[in-house]
Amino acid sequence: MTTLTACPADPAHAPLAGQLQHSYLLQQGGFINGQWGSAAAHACLPVTDPATGQRLATLAASSVGDAREAVRGASAAQAGWAALPARERAALLMAWHAQIIAHADDLALLMTREQGKPLAEARGEVMFGASFVAWYAEEAKRVHGEVLQTYSADRRVLTLRQPVGVVVAITPWNFPSAMITRKCAPALAAGCSIVLKPSEETPLSAIALCVLAQRAGIPDGVINLVLCTRDNVAEVGRALLEDSRVRKLSFTGSTQTGKTLMRLAADNVLKVSLELGGNAPLIVFDDADLDRAADGALASKFRNMGQTCTCANRILVQRSVYEAFAAKLVERVRNLKVGPGTEPGVTQGPLINHQAVQKVQRHVADALAHGARAVLGGKPDARGGLFFQPTVLLDVTPRMRICHEETFGPVAPLLAFDTEEEALALANDSSYGLAGYFYTRDLARALRMAERLELGAVGVNEAVISSEAVPIGGVKQSGIGREGAHHGIDEFLETKQITIGAL
Ligand code: ADP
């Protein structure tokens, strides 16, 4: 017999509720078939503030049984949701969008408290996340089939675009809100129901989004939320993907976990979308506008404390402008302000956890041991905890670990190169292929480079290239499928052909 543990609200939970305009955004557990989990569970999921280490909440984690129940709920809701006229699904998505906008301040505060990014950035993410909901509300109405001619005059073929079915969406902690809406909005628009499993680091944003979906009137069972602890995520993930009622996996996270989930998904031949790790090059040619390139490198590298899969991981600079570019970047990085994300003026919050800090330290130590120089930062910040100094490393060489592994931290490594061919070879020397950027004023070179880089997304004289209107996704080990634009909804649709004879 299994026993249930009480996961009571901490005393620290109360101040969090007091800081929100709408405390109903806080719930204590998962959301299954329209019902919120109670505080009794097989395991408790603590949520901590990475800026202070303070316990923000203690949630009830979901069990394998809960996961199956969530799939059952999603499966039962699926047909009814898909049968709604697209404009009705669109109207419900727009109602969800309105709820998100109306609660943007609270959503931003929850995100900063559980994830650490500065409040202004968190608010930016909430709006970015909301933009997917509005975009796919529109796209819902533009899912069209075709009437095709065939080889014989007495036949016609229709194609229908139909929802793939129940979706399992597994999301990371670095964008606790936007990675959820970027999956859920196109899935809902297509007519799919969802079991969402957010990161154990950032469940509060996921809970709040589900509260708002419920308030918007999205029917019970259409969105379900399962919360895991680090200890039970593997068994719950397995239970979700082994369930034959599930038809699709949409995952964003590490390449390693993506591979594990892809193997599990193979058993039921699920349709899969994976947005995995990256190792983005940012290349500065000698004819570039160096100020623009330095602004781009700063924005790309240091947004979210460097914890984004599209952020510049390697900065390749042509030798003749290496010193000049380095000076411009250092000048900008020096102005970054480290501190808790709730403090005005802060641009760099804490990293997500101790493992993240240790990884950054390992990469810096390895680079320094192999001859790199830290001209700025290089150490944990004097504040202690999970804060790390914004860092610029010079004389970095391709053999160093920092050039092959995703650092996911506020460290800008600068490598020198001589020719375009060399820059291209360095950039493509990676098992990843998500995003990359380069700066040049030469149009022919711009086209040559854009076509030859082995990446899913390229920024030419631009380093922040994500929006709801563009497709994002990887090649090589960075993933499968695209999110955003009209491409994003295709991932949740199947094409059926209907042949009509005897005309
Ligand atoms: P990170 O190491 O940055 O947390 P992960 O890829 O491990 O990246 O996590 C991304 C998401 O995948 C999170 O929601 C996490 O809980 C989830 N996850 C990790 N391992 C598994 C697993 N075995 N089954 C299902 N989900 C998993």
Side-chain angles (χ1 to χ4, degrees):
M1 210 183 104
T2 53
T3 49
L4 294 181
T5 314
C7 303
D10 282 76
H13 204 153
L16 182 59
Q19 288 173 15
L20 298 177
Q21 292 165 37
H22 307 286
S23 60
Y24 51 74
L25 294 176
L26 298 170
Q27 294 285 339
Q28 283 196 284
F31 180 55
I32 296 175
N33 217 6
Q35 299 297 315
W36 286 98
S38 74
H42 295 277
C44 301
L45 170 61
V47 187
T48 53
D49 183 337
T52 60
Q54 184 193 17
R55 175 80 62 94
L56 294 173
T58 306
L59 306 174
S62 311
S63 63
V64 164
D66 294 332
R68 293 209 178 99
E69 196 48 31
V71 174
R72 199 194 61 71
S75 179
Q78 164 67 49
W81 178 247
L84 282 183
R87 61 191 283 184
E88 289 181 30
R89 287 199 304 276
L92 287 164
L93 279 167
M94 283 315 294
W96 191 25
H97 177 260
Q99 289 285 334
I100 295 171
I101 300 294
H103 294 80
D105 288 339
D106 277 352
L107 292 170
L109 184 61
L110 279 175
M111 192 190 301
T112 295
R113 295 300 306 276
E114 68 176 347
Q115 196 268 352
K117 68 179 67 178
L119 207 45
E121 236 182 281
R123 205 173 191 290
E125 184 191 327
V126 170
M127 303 312 279
F128 173 58
S131 72
F132 289 98
V133 182
W135 178 274
Y136 286 107
E138 293 294 326
E139 283 299 306
K141 295 179 278 185
R142 321 232 189 285
V143 174
H144 303 300
E146 303 159 299
V147 182
L148 304 176
Q149 300 182 49
T150 61
Y151 51 84
S152 81
D154 68 344
R155 286 184 172 205
R156 296 293 180 277
V157 174
L158 314 183
T159 62
L160 299 184
R161 304 282 282 147
Q162 294 184 312
V164 61
V166 174
V167 174
V168 167
I170 300 182
T171 56
W173 50 263
N174 60 343
F175 289 94
S177 193
M179 294 306 101
I180 290 176
T181 54
R182 194 154 97 172
K183 295 184 186 314
C184 292
L188 295 176
C192 297
S193 57
I194 300 163
V195 178
L196 167 65
K197 199 222 70 67
S199 167
E200 51 278 12
E201 304 280 5
T202 55
L204 299 178
S205 295
I207 287 175
L209 284 172
C210 289
V211 168
L212 296 175
Q214 187 179 32
R215 288 175 68 86
I218 292 179
D220 291 353
V222 171
I223 297 188
N224 303 274
L225 176 70
V226 165
L227 303 176
C228 293
T229 64
R230 234 165 233 275
D231 292 334
N232 82 347
V233 68
E235 62 170 350
V236 170
R238 177 180 288 276
L240 289 173
L241 296 180
E242 276 178 357
D243 195 310
S244 60
R245 292 170 292 196
V246 170
R247 289 310 319 143
K248 160 93 192 177
L249 164 67
S250 179
F251 170 77
T252 299
S254 63
T255 294
Q256 195 187 350
T257 301
K259 288 178 184 179
T260 304
L261 298 181
M262 195 176 174
R263 285 188 193 103
L264 286 173
D267 278 342
N268 286 327
V269 195
L270 299 190
K271 195 172 164 84
V272 288
S273 310
L274 306 171
E275 212 242 85
L276 308 176
N279 184 9
L282 185 146
I283 307 169
V284 184
F285 287 103
D286 58 5
D287 62 345
D289 175 339
L290 294 189
D291 283 305
R292 190 175 174 88
D295 287 343
L298 184 83
S300 169
K301 179 71 255 184
F302 291 94
R303 187 168 57 114
N304 204 8
M305 294 75 76
Q307 301 172 120
T308 71
C309 41
T310 55
C311 79
N313 203 48
R314 302 169 287 159
I315 302 179
L316 314 176
V317 190
Q318 202 151 15
R319 205 171 302 275
S320 55
V321 294
Y322 188 86
E323 293 298 332
F325 174 80
K328 286 181 187 294
L329 183 62
V330 166
E331 181 191 309
R332 286 163 172 76
V333 176
R334 210 186 287 284
N335 290 331
L336 296 176
K337 188 175 167 210
V338 178
T342 46
E343 216 173 273
V346 161
T347 58
Q348 298 287 292
L351 298 187
I352 190 71
N353 55 32
H354 283 291
Q355 292 93 306
V357 176
Q358 284 164 359
K359 184 174 190 194
V360 172
Q361 282 180 299
R362 278 200 306 276
H363 279 193
V364 171
D366 174 78
L368 297 180
H370 289 91
R373 287 184 291 139
V375 286
L376 201 64
K379 298 194 181 73
D381 191 78
R383 288 172 176 270
L386 304 177
F387 294 96
F388 200 89
Q389 296 173 339
T391 297
V392 179
L393 299 179
L394 299 189
D395 302 339
V396 173
T397 58
R399 276 183 43 248
M400 298 173 187
R401 279 178 82 165
I402 204 161
C403 292
H404 296 282
E405 295 173 23
E406 219 177 359
T407 305
F408 242 56
V411 183
L414 268 60
L415 293 83
F417 70 87
D418 291 300
T419 64
E420 183 182 317
E421 281 304 315
E422 189 188 349
L424 183 72
L426 281 171
N428 284 342
D429 179 22
S430 173
S431 55
Y432 295 111
L434 190 55
Y437 318 90
F438 62 85
Y439 286 78
T440 181
R441 290 190 173 102
D442 180 335
L443 178 61
R445 168 186 279 158
L447 283 173
R448 273 196 307 272
M449 287 295 294
E451 288 173 5
R452 295 172 73 194
L453 282 166
E454 296 165 2
L455 301 167
V458 177
V460 184
N461 298 322
E462 288 292 345
V464 179
I465 57 171
S466 196
S467 86
E468 80 281 17
V470 304
I472 282 280
V475 300
K476 295 167 143 177
Q477 293 192 29
S478 285
I480 296 172
R482 295 292 177 267
E483 294 187 326
H486 60 279
H487 305 266
I489 198 167
D490 289 345
E491 305 286 335
F492 299 97
L493 293 166
E494 296 281 21
T495 299
K496 177 188 283 175
Q497 65 116 320
I498 302 170
T499 298
I500 305 169
L503 291 180

